[in-house]
Amino acid sequence: MSEPTLDPAQRAAADALDALLDRRGRVRKPGGKRPAGVYLHGRPGRGKTMIMDRFFAATSSKHKARLHFHRFFAELSAAVRITGSMRTAVDMVVGDVDLLCFDEFHVDDIGDGMLIARLLDVLFTRRVLVIVTANQPPAELLPDPIFHEGFEPTIALITERLTVLAVDGPRDYRSGGERATGGFAGGAYRVTGVLPALPPPGRPVRRALRPVPADDGVALTFTAVCGDAGAAADYLSLVATHPRITLTGVPPLRLVPPTWAARLVTFIDVLHDAGAHLTVEATVPPAELAADARPIPGLARMLSRLGELTPVPAS
């Protein structure tokens, strides 16, 4: 397969990553003038993951790991609870690595922020090379004003130790061109035009994630998935046993609380990372899903990922 043509921002990022390897493709240990890694940020579809994967494949080290954000942090949190030690938890989850790549890195929750601060301390102390892709620059991590100030020392650590580069060219490479057909991208987005019945505002929803058999895997309603206090760990358990899922009754997000929309972002993240086959049945197309909804972290990323699904218009 021929090397893809890189735009200027992608080329600058690729060159910065290539400089972290020696002639044999081995990782140059951070230290001295060498950074502890690279932080690539930009809007969805700008090629950040492609650049990181290109680098990961070129690295000859056998002690490397490429991680999906939600699964890694669910496993890391569990290991920290069991052992009481971040160092031991890192050993349990990733072992003795010299390269760690995080795709779609984000910090929207103060609990994750505290965990990340401790994790980075361990990784930088061990001189592990850290590569990150993210939609936000470091200064915009954990945007909640209540908690952001407390996370600023970690932001300062990231900007001090990692080379921060924008990969944010004008072209969205996920839109147009040849559509992928496997994994998550093999799913469909069906516009029903029907507004589902939603609970009255303020009424708590308490129901287990109990999927029902469907023609193609299992089905769950939007209210069941997003209306309860669901979290990434719940969605990871779900997709581990049900790799083909239909999500029904997705309304325009302006009609539901921001917490519901945030859980939808997490749900889509988990299924995308797992390569699950997803069919969405929604009232409106992706371009209209977030219209007039309150902004929440990760919304643009989710809409970009939903755009990978094959559109099925209302009949």
Side-chain angles (χ1 to χ4, degrees):
M1 183 178 296
S2 60
E3 176 79 4
T5 300
L6 305 181
D7 65 31
Q10 292 171 347
R11 171 49 60 193
D15 289 345
L17 289 172
D18 290 344
L20 301 175
L21 304 179
D22 66 17
R23 293 182 179 180
R24 298 183 180 180
R26 296 174 300 190
V27 170
R28 298 179 187 270
K29 278 283 187 180
K33 295 183 178 181
R34 283 197 291 270
V38 175
Y39 184 110
L40 305 176
H41 68 90
R43 289 169 292 174
R46 266 57 189 182
K48 302 179 298 296
T49 298
M50 180 267 292
I51 295 297
M52 185 182 72
D53 286 346
R54 171 186 177 275
F55 170 76
F56 189 80
T59 305
S60 61
S61 172
K62 296 180 181 178
H63 303 286
K64 61 182 180 179
R66 183 195 185 285
L67 306 169
H68 292 305
F69 180 87
H70 289 292
R71 181 172 298 279
F72 172 73
F73 276 94
E75 294 175 356
L76 187 68
S77 298
V80 169
R81 287 195 299 271
I82 292 170
T83 66
S85 165
M86 176 58 74
R87 289 175 174 79
T88 305
V90 171
D91 290 336
M92 290 176 59
V93 177
V94 296
D96 183 22
V97 296
D98 53 23
L99 170 63
L100 210 50
C101 293
F102 287 103
D103 194 26
E104 299 291 1
F105 183 87
H106 56 277
V107 188
D108 304 329
D109 173 85
I110 185 57
D112 284 347
M114 295 171 63
L115 197 67
I116 286 167
R118 296 168 61 192
L119 170 66
L120 291 177
D121 181 63
V122 171
L123 296 178
F124 292 158
T125 298
R126 294 184 178 182
R127 298 174 66 195
V128 175
L129 189 65
V130 178
I131 310 299
V132 169
T133 73
N135 295 137
Q136 304 153 302
E140 295 178 13
L141 295 171
L142 192 56
D144 189 326
I146 297 175
F147 302 114
H148 182 81
E149 184 176 355
F151 193 66
E152 286 179 348
T154 303
I155 292 173
L157 180 66
I158 290 171
T159 56
E160 176 188 347
R161 301 298 302 275
L162 303 181
T163 299
V164 179
L165 294 172
V167 181
D168 199 27
R171 179 181 174 187
D172 181 350
Y173 290 89
R174 287 180 181 170
S175 64
E178 186 177 348
R179 180 178 293 275
T181 58
F184 183 88
Y189 188 105
R190 183 175 295 113
V191 177
T192 65
V194 177
L195 183 65
L198 297 170
R203 177 180 294 179
V205 177
R206 293 289 181 268
R207 59 184 71 185
L209 283 178
R210 297 193 182 109
V212 298
D215 292 339
D216 187 18
V218 297
L220 299 103
T221 67
F222 169 83
T223 300
V225 170
C226 302
D228 199 355
D234 303 308
Y235 307 147
L236 286 164
S237 297
L238 174 70
V239 78
T241 52
H242 302 292
R244 300 179 72 87
I245 296 173
T246 297
L247 182 65
T248 65
V250 180
L253 296 182
R254 68 178 182 275
L255 302 180
V256 300
T259 52
W260 291 36
R263 291 183 196 120
L264 181 62
V265 169
T266 300
F267 182 74
I268 298 302
D269 276 347
V270 168
L271 267 64
H272 188 277
D273 290 348
H277 185 282
L278 174 67
T279 298
V280 174
E281 295 181 355
T283 306
V284 295
E288 301 173 27
L289 189 63
D292 299 322
R294 187 181 303 179
I296 58 169
L299 191 59
R301 180 178 67 249
M302 182 191 75
L303 296 176
S304 178
R305 289 177 163 181
L306 290 176
E308 297 178 30
L309 303 175
T310 299
V312 181
S315 56

